[in-house]
């Protein structure tokens, strides 16, 4: 329905054009693009739009316990890069991740400590808010991808040490760093995914009986 | 009639003249604990308390206050001699997350209730207190280095009173209690 020449902004009914299918395509296209492929900057406005999409993520008691900090100072980038770890969580031989330092944009994903705790105590802080912030971060990445912005969830960081080095407010707790950049022109190979029969189970039915889109539960062969 | 809570509420006065004796930390903690037990929308507890312990911060905070109705009036210099100064802040973003545009109003109401609890608790503990609302918010923010989420709502001065202020006039209950 169009009102006053504008498209309705109401919820998209499930199954309608532009609804779930589009979402699923985006989800399928979302993966960690290598940091080295995220060097081309995007308009900060577009990235801010994507960050704003965090408000659509679900959260316990609707507390929305997240704060995103779009990094703009080279010194902050440098501190983040200095706190990079190897994939085993060990210090890098050169104590710095150059690819991280050269990513076009970095965003600190933080948890708002008191907002997380106020209704649920430590359970809110250590469990619900961690889940909520992860959901918000994922929502942001999807919204970014829709705007042609690829991303990489940087996991190999000493978050506690980085939190301290950045001198973040005690009201915030760093949960993740996400690198963003203009999506690469060339198609990157999507990492392999488990097929549904490998991870969807129905109680009381044999393993692999459910979950595959074609309903056969057949596994993909290995080439 | 022996109702300690009512007694403390009725005995509370605004105290602006304190003895220099320090306030034991245990008592201060009790006062803040009383604040944290105020009623709060959705149990969101949107309050934070900044105890001023750095002399330069205290100076800047006092300079950010003003007396009377004019924001350019001289600062409330008596605050400089209060043994304890607590800036009570609210986090309207927390309540907005849950209640939308009504959130900031709820947050300020909650914090006001928390401040009242502080004043009553201080009285019950033999302390004097004053709630100061005349301050330039931006200057207080700057003096304390507050997070952008936080809003300073009141400065609470606490200490042992040098003298007991007389009871001010209060409207009689019959004038303010109406039946509909």
């Amino acid at each position: 329905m169009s009102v006053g020449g504008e498209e309705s902004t109401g919820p998209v009914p499930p199954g309608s054009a532009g609804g779930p299918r589009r979402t699923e395509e985006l989800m399928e296209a979302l993966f960690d693009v290598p940091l080295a492929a995220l060097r081309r900057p995007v308009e900060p406005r577009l990235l801010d739009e994507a960050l704003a999409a965090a408000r659509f993520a679900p959260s316990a008691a609707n507390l929305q316990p997240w704060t995103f900090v779009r990094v703009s100072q080279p010194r902050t980038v440098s501190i983040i890069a200095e706190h990079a770890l190897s994939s085993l969580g060990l210090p890098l031989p050169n104590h710095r991740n150059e690819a991280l330092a050269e990513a076009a944009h970095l965003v600190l994903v933080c948890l708002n400590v008191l907002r997380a705790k106020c209704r649920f105590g430590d359970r809110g802080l250590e469990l619900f808010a961690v889940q909520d912030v992860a959901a918000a971060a994922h929502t942001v990445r999807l919204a970014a991808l829709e705007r042609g912005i690829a991303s990489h969830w940087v996991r190999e960081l000493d978050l506690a040490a980085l939190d301290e080095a950045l001198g973040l407010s005690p009201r915030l707790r760093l949960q993740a760093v996400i690198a963003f950049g203009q999506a690469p022109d060339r198609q990157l190979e999507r990492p392999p995914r488990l097929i549904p029969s490998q991870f969807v189970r129905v109680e009381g039915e044999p393993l692999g009986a459910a979950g595959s889109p074609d309903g056969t539960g057949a596994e993909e062969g290995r080439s | 009639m022996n109702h300690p809570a009512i007694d403390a509420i009725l005995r509370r006065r605004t105290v602006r003249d304190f003895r220099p004796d320090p306030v034991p930390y245990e008592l201060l903690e009790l006062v803040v604990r009383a604040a944290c037990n105020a009623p709060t929308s959705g149990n969101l507890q949107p309050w934070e308390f900044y105890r001023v312990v750095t002399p330069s911060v205290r100076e800047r905070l006092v300079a950010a206050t003003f007396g009377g109705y004019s924001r350019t009036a001289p600062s409330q210099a008596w605050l400089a001699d209060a043994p304890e100064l607590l800036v009570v802040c609210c986090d309207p973003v927390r309540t907005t997350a849950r209640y939308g545009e009504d959130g900031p109003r709820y947050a300020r109401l909650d914090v006001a209730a928390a401040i009242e609890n502080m004043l009553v608790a201080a009285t019950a503990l033999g302390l004097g207190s004053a709630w100061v609302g005349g301050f330039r918010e931006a200057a207080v923010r700057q003096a304390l280095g507050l997070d952008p989420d936080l809003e300073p709502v009141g400065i609470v001065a606490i200490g042992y009173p040098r003298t007991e202020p007389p009871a001010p006039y209060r409207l009689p209950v019959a004038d303010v209690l109406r039946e509909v």
Side-chain angles (χ1 to χ4, degrees):
Chain A
M1 188 176 110
S2 176
V3 179
E6 289 182 10
E7 291 293 320
S8 165
T9 54
V12 180
S16 67
R21 176 164 294 281
R22 173 79 181 123
T23 307
E24 214 161 293
E25 283 169 8
L26 267 177
M27 291 193 291
E28 190 176 357
L30 178 65
F31 57 87
D32 281 333
V33 167
L35 286 169
L38 291 176
R39 290 179 182 161
R40 288 191 301 169
V42 299
E43 265 189 66
R45 175 184 61 82
L46 287 178
L47 188 49
D48 288 347
E49 279 177 17
L51 293 172
R55 67 192 188 282
F56 302 124
S59 64
N62 198 31
L63 291 174
Q64 307 164 58
W66 44 71
T67 297
F68 292 83
V69 181
R70 177 159 62 76
V71 173
S72 63
Q73 303 300 313
R75 184 180 134 69
T76 309
V77 173
S78 192
I79 292 173
I80 295 170
E82 298 289 344
H83 285 78
L85 298 172
S86 74
S87 56
L88 292 174
L90 301 170
L92 292 172
N94 61 1
H95 301 291
R96 184 179 167 87
N97 185 334
E98 292 300 339
L100 191 51
E102 289 167 15
H105 307 277
L106 293 176
V107 168
L108 307 174
V109 184
C110 304
L111 181 156
N112 186 303
V113 174
L114 295 181
R115 211 183 304 162
K117 277 183 88 169
C118 64
R119 275 178 71 93
F120 304 110
D122 286 340
R123 192 167 161 76
L125 180 64
E126 307 296 345
L127 179 61
F128 300 152
V130 173
Q131 296 167 339
D132 295 346
V133 170
H138 185 68
T139 304
V140 166
R141 294 184 71 196
L142 285 171
L145 190 58
E146 192 168 36
R147 289 162 175 79
I149 305 171
S151 59
H152 184 112
W153 187 313
V154 185
R155 296 164 206 280
E156 293 82 17
L157 282 169
D158 186 338
L159 287 177
L162 177 56
D163 200 322
E164 198 177 328
L166 290 172
L168 287 177
S169 159
R171 306 175 75 251
L172 301 179
R173 185 188 286 182
L174 185 61
Q175 293 291 287
V177 174
I178 302 180
F180 292 93
Q182 194 175 319
D185 295 329
R186 66 187 174 83
Q187 189 75 29
L188 295 174
E189 189 181 351
R190 193 168 64 87
R193 302 287 186 186
L194 295 174
I195 58 172
S197 61
Q198 291 169 321
F199 61 88
V200 180
R201 297 178 187 182
V202 178
E203 224 181 348
E205 291 189 11
L207 201 60
S212 68
D214 60 5
T216 62
E219 293 185 10
E220 287 175 353
R222 185 180 292 180
S223 60
Chain B
M1 188 172 77
N2 181 21
H3 296 300
I6 299 287
D7 178 62
I9 290 167
L10 297 181
R11 279 194 300 108
R12 186 203 61 78
R13 302 282 178 270
T14 294
V15 174
R16 297 188 179 87
D17 187 15
F18 298 100
R19 299 202 317 251
D21 313 53
V23 176
Y25 186 77
E26 299 74 40
L27 296 192
L28 194 68
E29 205 175 16
L30 265 179
V31 167
V32 176
R33 192 171 158 200
C36 292
N37 278 276
T40 156
S41 310
N43 199 27
L44 294 177
Q45 308 164 56
W47 40 63
E48 289 183 39
F49 307 86
Y50 285 76
R51 181 185 178 211
V52 180
V53 294
T54 310
S56 60
V57 175
R58 171 179 282 251
E59 264 175 44
R60 293 172 67 194
L61 179 65
V62 174
T65 63
F66 57 86
Y69 57 83
S70 170
R71 297 177 73 82
T72 56
S75 64
Q76 302 201 38
W78 60 270
L79 280 167
D81 297 324
E84 292 286 349
L85 291 179
L86 289 146
V87 181
V88 188
C89 300
C90 84
D91 180 353
V93 180
R94 197 183 307 169
T95 41
T96 300
R98 193 160 165 80
Y99 295 112
E101 63 182 21
D102 286 329
R105 185 165 62 87
Y106 296 160
R108 291 173 198 129
L109 293 172
D110 291 353
V111 170
I115 293 175
E116 169 65 1
N117 271 13
M118 293 173 80
L119 308 182
V120 173
T123 306
L125 294 168
L127 295 162
S129 62
W131 175 353
V132 174
F135 54 79
R136 289 175 288 277
E137 190 183 309
V140 171
R141 280 179 179 283
Q142 210 169 16
L144 270 59
L146 288 182
D147 269 14
D149 281 2
L150 289 178
E151 186 180 293
V153 173
I155 300 170
V156 175
I158 298 177
Y160 288 100
R162 200 185 292 276
T163 53
E164 289 288 340
Y169 170 75
R170 296 289 174 166
L171 293 168
V173 171
D175 284 2
V176 295
L177 179 62
R178 305 184 198 290
E179 294 185 354
V180 290

